[in-house]
């Protein structure tokens, strides 16, 4: 190309000339005049800048329509793009945790598109209360007297503390002062709720007498926090909810529990590690139990509090409830998800979280074997492609020490270079539907536990 910058600048077409070219008609119809013109102006600036720096036209100037189409399409990509989660973590917080059941998807579309009886009682033709319909379902599933639903479990904990113990003391074991990730730490939430934290016991051992000694006329609550994302082993002792409730009853102080994940069904019946259930704590006499909607429950992001009627009533009346309440889409999705629990026989099939968690290692391995040959044909020159056993994680702080045996496809670069591996991982992350695996041991692992759309994945990997 010529190096006289002045003649190079004259090769940048005017906006009018570009817009009148027939090949722009489709883009104008698709994206609209305003966006097309703004993007073309940006491209002209970019071309001028390129000439200033390199004394040449950028390559894309050979096809303005094509380059414009690419820019517009990539700017239109959603911020919430669907991906293949082959990380091996089923409830992946950064990938949006639980995938919703089809029933929830339909319920949400309906709630979005039409007025609904959110806070409207058809019997009384007046105002109802937005958690009412779901409270009945939650009571049936947990044995509680009433329920309250907020934005997430962090909000649930904040609301419980603010409504029941503001300006007073809450007794918690030192071994349960957890950090969940992000800015959620029990001592900080306590402060935000206006409560005074009374730590008792030690990191590894807390006894009933420690709680007993800490109680005074300022004590509003005894609190248990499920240590969901870590595990202490060895010389340990903690006080069960049951024991704490007995103490609380004699002193007239309610016991509350932040259960974190909280499964509504006994997971051990599916061969999964057991996780404490809200129903058990309610039966033990705990006054309020909070848990997440999008962890083991497998529904939308929500914080669910179940427990005694009088205390739930206090939560419903508190001004923070208004700030933390769930919206109609969340409530619609949660209701549809909870209804699946009323039919436990089909739960493991219809609830995606449970369906993925209960996939057998043999099933996943068979799937990996099916995909192996075409992937070897496509990638075999540069990578050793193999099927390997692996251990998946439930994720979201649930059951951190328990792993689920499964299978993965692994890609080991024949040249032994980390850069070759990175390039493969980057290429897949940049795909139309990004494929997300993980690198360890000098290999790229695609854990297939969460792969349901086999054909869709192969289309991406073989393209
Ligand atoms: C996950 C978790 C939370 C936070 O729940 P979100 O629904 O993510 O807000 C709080 N407490 C415990 C014990 C948890 O495991």
């Amino acid at each position: 190309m010529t190096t006289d910058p002045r003649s190079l600048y004259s090769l940048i077409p005017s906006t009018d000339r570009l817009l009148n070219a027939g090949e722009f008609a489709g883009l104008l119809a698709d994206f609209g005049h305003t966006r097309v013109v703004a993007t073309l102006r940006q491209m002209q600036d970019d071309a001028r800048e390129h000439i200033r720096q390199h004394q040449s036209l950028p390559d894309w100037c050979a096809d303005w329509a094509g380059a414009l189409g690419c820019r517009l399409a990539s700017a239109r990509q959603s911020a919430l793009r669907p991906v293949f989660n082959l990380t091996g973590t089923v409830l992946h917080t950064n990938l949006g945790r639980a995938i919703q059941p089809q029933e929830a998807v339909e319920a949400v579309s309906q709630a979005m598109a039409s007025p609904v009886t959110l806070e409207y009682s058809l019997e009384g033709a007046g105002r109802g209360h937005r958690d009412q319909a779901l409270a009945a379902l939650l009571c049936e599933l947990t044995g509680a007297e009433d329920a309250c639903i907020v934005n997430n479990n962090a909000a649930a904990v904040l609301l419980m503390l603010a409504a029941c113990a503001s300006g007073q003391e809450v007794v918690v074991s030192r071994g349960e002062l957890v950090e969940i990730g992000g800015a959620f730490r029990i001592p900080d939430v306590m402060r935000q709720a206006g409560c005074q934290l009374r730590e008792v016991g030690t990191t590894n051992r807390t006894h009933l007498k420690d709680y007993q000694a800490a109680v005074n006329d300022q004590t509003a609550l005894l609190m248990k926090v499920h240590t969901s994302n870590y595990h202490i082993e060895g010389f340990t002792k903690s006080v069960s909810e049951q024991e704490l409730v007995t103490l609380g009853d004699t002193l007239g102080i309610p016991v509350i529990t932040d259960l974190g994940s909280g499964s509504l069904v006994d997971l051990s019946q599916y061969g999964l590690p057991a996780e404490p259930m809200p129903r058990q704590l309610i039966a033990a006499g705990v006054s309020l139990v909070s848990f997440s909607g999008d962890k083991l429950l497998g529904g939308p992001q929500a914080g669910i509090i179940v427990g005694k009627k009088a205390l739930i009533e206090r939560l419903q009346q508190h001004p923070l409830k208004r700030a933390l309440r769930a919206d109609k889409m969340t409530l619609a999705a949660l209701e549809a998800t909870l209804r699946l629990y009323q039919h436990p026989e089909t739960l493991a099939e219809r609830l995606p979280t449970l369906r993925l968690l209960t996939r057998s290692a043999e099933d996943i391995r068979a799937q990996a074997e099916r995909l192996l040959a075409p992937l070897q044909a496509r990638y075999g020159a540069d990578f050793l492609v193999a099927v390997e056993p692996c251990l998946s994680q439930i994720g979201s702080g649930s059951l951190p020490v328990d792993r689920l045996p499964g299978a993965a496809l692994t890609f080991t670069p024949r040249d032994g270079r980390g850069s070759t591996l990175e390039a493969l991982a980057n290429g897949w992350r940049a795909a139309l539907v990004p494929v997300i695996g993980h690198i360890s041991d000098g290999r790229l692992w695609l854990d297939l536990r969460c792969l349901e759309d086999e054909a869709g994945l192969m289309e991406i990997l073989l393209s």
Side-chain angles (χ1 to χ4, degrees), residues 339-420:
R339 289 206 185 284
L340 298 183
Y341 282 86
Q342 292 182 307
H343 193 170
E345 294 80 4
T346 59
L347 188 66
E349 188 190 314
R350 290 158 80 194
L351 188 70
T353 299
L354 199 54
R355 185 166 70 228
L356 298 174
L357 290 176
T358 54
R359 284 188 69 190
S360 71
E362 299 82 72
D363 174 35
I364 303 170
R365 169 170 274 275
Q367 183 179 40
E369 303 281 1
R370 270 199 302 279
L371 307 185
L372 183 62
L375 290 173
Q376 278 173 331
R378 168 74 172 73
Y379 293 96
D382 298 324
F383 297 90
L384 177 70
V385 187
V387 173
E388 298 280 352
C390 67
L391 295 171
S392 320
Q393 275 182 291
I394 294 174
S396 285
S398 317
L399 319 158
V401 284
D402 298 297
R403 299 291 176 104
L404 310 172
L409 287 159
T410 63
F411 296 76
T412 314
R414 293 196 188 276
D415 65 10
R417 287 199 178 160
S419 55
T420 310

Side-chain angles (χ1 to χ4, degrees), residues 31 83 101 130 145 156 222 272 369 423 429 447 452 461:
F31 294 91
V83 301
R130 70 169 54 202
E145 294 172 8
L222 304 175
L272 292 167
E369 303 281 1
R429 270 204 306 273
D447 182 323
E452 297 204 298
L461 294 186

Side-chain angles (χ1 to χ4, degrees), residues 97 152-154 180 184 225-226 228 258 260-261 292 294-295 302:
R97 291 198 186 156
N152 56 22
N153 187 39
I180 300 304
F184 187 88
V225 182
H226 185 49
S228 43
D258 168 12
S261 205
S292 293
D294 55 353
K295 292 186 180 173

Side-chain angles (χ1 to χ4, degrees), residues 1 8-9 11-12 42-64 67 71:
M1 239 173 237
L8 281 176
Y9 287 122
L11 292 177
I12 299 175
Q42 182 62 52
M43 290 167 73
Q44 290 163 330
D45 287 347
D46 291 351
R48 277 185 215 108
E49 183 60 28
H50 194 276
I51 295 169
R52 240 188 315 280
Q53 289 189 8
H54 306 282
Q55 287 76 50
S56 69
L57 272 178
D59 292 342
W60 55 258
C61 284
D63 178 12
W64 280 78
R71 285 203 189 198

Side-chain angles (χ1 to χ4, degrees), residues 281-352:
L281 301 189
I282 294 295
V286 173
S287 293
L288 294 174
V289 180
S290 80
F291 51 100
S292 293
D294 55 353
K295 292 186 180 173
L296 284 172
L297 194 149
Q301 178 187 304
I304 299 166
I305 307 160
V306 295
K308 303 244 162 83
K309 202 160 201 70
L311 286 180
I312 295 284
E313 188 59 32
R314 265 169 89 170
L315 306 187
Q316 294 288 3
Q317 303 293 336
H318 195 276
L320 262 183
K321 169 68 200 320
R322 176 63 173 73
L324 302 174
R325 72 185 186 186
D327 73 311
K328 64 174 178 173
M329 291 181 276
T330 299
L331 294 173
L334 187 56
E335 181 182 14
T337 306
L338 292 174
R339 289 206 185 284
L340 298 183
Y341 282 86
Q342 292 182 307
H343 193 170
E345 294 80 4
T346 59
L347 188 66
E349 188 190 314
R350 290 158 80 194
L351 188 70

